[in-house]
Each structure stands twice: as structure tokens, then as C-alpha cells.
Amino acid sequence: MTQRMQESDGILRVPGDKSITHRALMLAALAPGRSVIRGALTSLDARSTARVLRLLGAAISPLRTGAVITVEGRQRFRPPARVLDCGNSGTTARLLLGVLAAHQFPSTLTGDASLRRRPMRRITEPLVAMGAVLHGAGDRLPLTIEGGDLSAGRWTLPVASAQIKSALLLAAAVARVSLELEEPASSRDHTERMLRRFGFVIGHSPGRLQFEPTGEFRPTTFEVPGDPSSAAFLLAGALLAGISELSIGGVGCNPGRIGFLAVLQRMGAVVRIDDAIDAGGEPVGTITVTGSSLGGTTISPAEVPGLIDEIPMLACLAARADGTTRFEGVAELRVKESDRLALVARNLTAIGAHARVEGDDLVVTGSSRPLAGRVVTEHDHRIAMAFQMLGLSRGCTLQVDDPAAAAVSFPGFADHVDQLRRRR
């Protein structure tokens, strides 16, 4: 059963936040006793995390839409009886590497063909420096990590990355060692917020985090808000479809996750957040977007970490805006589920839009000309969702080769596409 639009108030609901669901499952699995997760995402990626945690000894109830998830955690994981298959989920693999670095047994991680192409060295190098032992190439799955007595340390992150930061923080929390991190720019802080709930002290100053192992994992209840990245696709889809106003309720409004709203505003959309509350340390509210004529803008490198997942959608929106939109310093798109930088530009060009890659920048010039053709997703969920939204724009006739790829992060996405189409 999928969540559907509430026609009485025009408010749409999106599935639970993917980033928070992954972390809630892992932290609950590390807390001896029963934890409860409400509103969890039940996508393929989230199920990958639940699957590998079960192999490590946690008892996790089935992830079903609308169900309350229970987790019987354990203070220390047990050695897995077989290889840990992380599916398509980079978050699963990278965060789990951090957790397993503090467990003194070998574990082998693998994934699907897409995940096996994604780099892991940014995670494994600092973990090895802390005391973990790595068997394998070190930069690609499959690889085997054997935990050890980790030592306190200091590490400078090569890029602003919530996954790298979270892996190292989780390793330090499980191993109970201090850690100092320097990062070139701010990134999502869900892990920090959640660790503070368990009593861990995390000091923050511009460009620096100081972690102290003062806390203790204990059973708790997690409330997972709606995923702002999923909401971004629908909000942009409403603008593309010419829908006068769309509201999405119960969405996570963490400042590190809603950078796309500032971009929508600069492009000319009217955006507001209502009914804001604090839910388990995360701000939650109703996001409303009102359409208008859109124009091009520039996204600076400093903004990119806060909207990296939404760039394919924003690029599709830029293809229908007046003027040129430049996405600066988006090299990180090359190491996502696909080479999103090349794939977005190639698909936009193939359907008749104007897009090009200039070094690490993506440049899109909008027009109202009819767009038509086949979109190649390479099974990337963000590409599949972005171009299905672009297909709602009048004058667009697109054939997305794998629309079902959206299920990786957004179960029921096809129903939402139909709902927006009916409202045009």
C-alpha cells in the first residue's frame, strides 16, 4: 500500500527519510534491547541495511509501508555467516564499514554492479589509520574489513561528505575513542544529532568536529520524517507541470538537506515552510511551493553538499527555465550510482535540451521547445525520478528506460507521478 495524496487538503506525503532510516536501523541494532522506528523508509536501500544487520545478529521486523519497525539490538555484533550484500546502497556499505571497523572479526562486503564501481578509499583509508585491517583492493567492493583496537585520531576529510563523516563517527562511537574531524564545508548532520541523543558529546566549530565517547547506545524510539530529497522531486515536478501550488507535509527540514529550496527561490518559485516542529532532534514541517515563471541561476560549490541528490532534478527544471543555469563544482556527481554528471548532460542533449559539461561544472540553458526521446537511467533512481518529472512539462514526450529504479529510494513513486499528472 502506498501513501496517496489527501485530496481534502491538497497535502502530499512522501516516504520516510532515507538517510535517517539507515542510521536509525544501525544505531538501534547497536542498542541492546528493543527499539522502535516509526515512519521508516521501506525502499530497496533501506531493506539492504536491514538485511545485513540481521546477518550481524540484530532482529529486525519486516520493513513494510506503514508498519512500525522493531529492532532487537545487541551491544556487539556477531561474525556474519556469509558475505554482506549491500545491494545498491552506498550508505549501507560506507556506514557499515565504520561500524565493523570496531568489531574484531572479519566481514566481507559486496554490492550490485553499480555499487561495486563506487569508490571506498575515502572511507577505508582513515579506518585503517585508526587501526582496522583491510583485505582487498581497498577502493572497490568486494572487500573484507577486520576490526581492531581503534585509536583516537584526527582526520581531514578530502571532500564534504556525510557518509565519510558518519562512518568515522560511528567507528569512534562503537570503539569508544575520541575523534577530531576537519571538513572543507558543512555536510548533513543527521549522525551528529542522533549520537547526541545517546549522550555522546560532539563539539562543532566552523570546519571542525570534536567527538568524545561519553554516550551509551540504549533502546529508544525513532520518529523518521518525510524525506526532503523525495519531496524535492515532487515540488519541482509541480513547477514543471504548471500546478499552481503544492504542499508536502511532515517533511524533514534539516538545514543541511533543504538547500534546494533556496535554489527554487532564486529561480523564481515562491517557497514557504509551515507548521514547523522538532521531532527527535530534527526539524519537521510542511513545505509549499507556488509556481511562477522560472529563470536560470548559479549554484556555487559551497552549496553543492547540501543539495547533491537534487542536482539531477534541478538540472531538469533548468531545462525549462529562462536563461542559463550553472552548477559549479559538481565533480562528486561522477561517483554516485552512475556518473550523474555525464548522464544528466547526455540525456538532456538527447531529448533536445541544451546541456554541457565544462570541467567539473554542469551548464543547462532552458527553453520552451518540445522535448522528446528516450532517457537512459543506467538504473539510477535519481535520474529515473528527475526525468519522469521533466516528462510532466507540457511539450515533453519522454520514455524513461527504467522508471522502476525509483523504488531504490521512493516506493510508490509512480503513483505520485500519476497524481501530479492528473492535477495539471
Side-chain angles (χ1 to χ4, degrees), residues 210-240:
Q210 179 67 50
F211 172 85
E212 297 296 339
T214 53
E216 180 181 355
F217 294 118
R218 56 192 182 279
T220 190
T221 297
F222 296 95
E223 301 285 348
V224 181
D227 194 305
S229 294
S230 295
F233 285 81
L234 301 186
L235 293 169
L239 295 171
L240 287 163

Side-chain angles (χ1 to χ4, degrees), residues 18 227 229-234 236-237 240 309 312-313 316 340 375 377 380-392 400 402-414 417:
K18 185 160 77 83
D227 194 305
S229 294
S230 295
F233 285 81
L234 301 186
L240 287 163
D309 290 336
M313 183 66 260
C316 286
R340 286 180 183 162
V375 174
T377 64
D380 187 319
H381 57 126
R382 304 290 184 194
I383 301 295
M385 290 191 290
F387 281 89
Q388 286 182 78
M389 292 292 95
L390 181 56
L392 295 174
V400 177
D402 185 16
V408 165
S409 62
F410 197 150
F413 182 73
V417 175

Side-chain angles (χ1 to χ4, degrees), residues 59-129:
I60 303 175
S61 63
L63 271 61
R64 299 192 180 102
T65 300
V68 174
I69 310 303
T70 59
V71 180
E72 292 285 349
R74 47 192 299 139
Q75 193 163 19
R76 302 293 291 180
F77 288 157
R78 71 186 183 201
R82 58 180 185 270
V83 171
L84 302 173
D85 185 354
C86 301
N88 185 248
S89 179
T91 304
T92 303
R94 289 172 173 144
L95 270 59
L96 195 61
L97 282 169
V99 173
L100 292 174
H103 285 76
Q104 295 184 346
F105 54 74
S107 302
T108 300
L109 283 72
T110 191
D112 67 8
S114 171
L115 184 56
R116 291 197 302 272
R117 290 194 298 267
R118 298 179 67 181
M120 296 290 158
R121 192 176 301 279
R122 293 171 179 173
I123 303 288
T124 57
E125 279 188 348
L127 292 176
V128 169

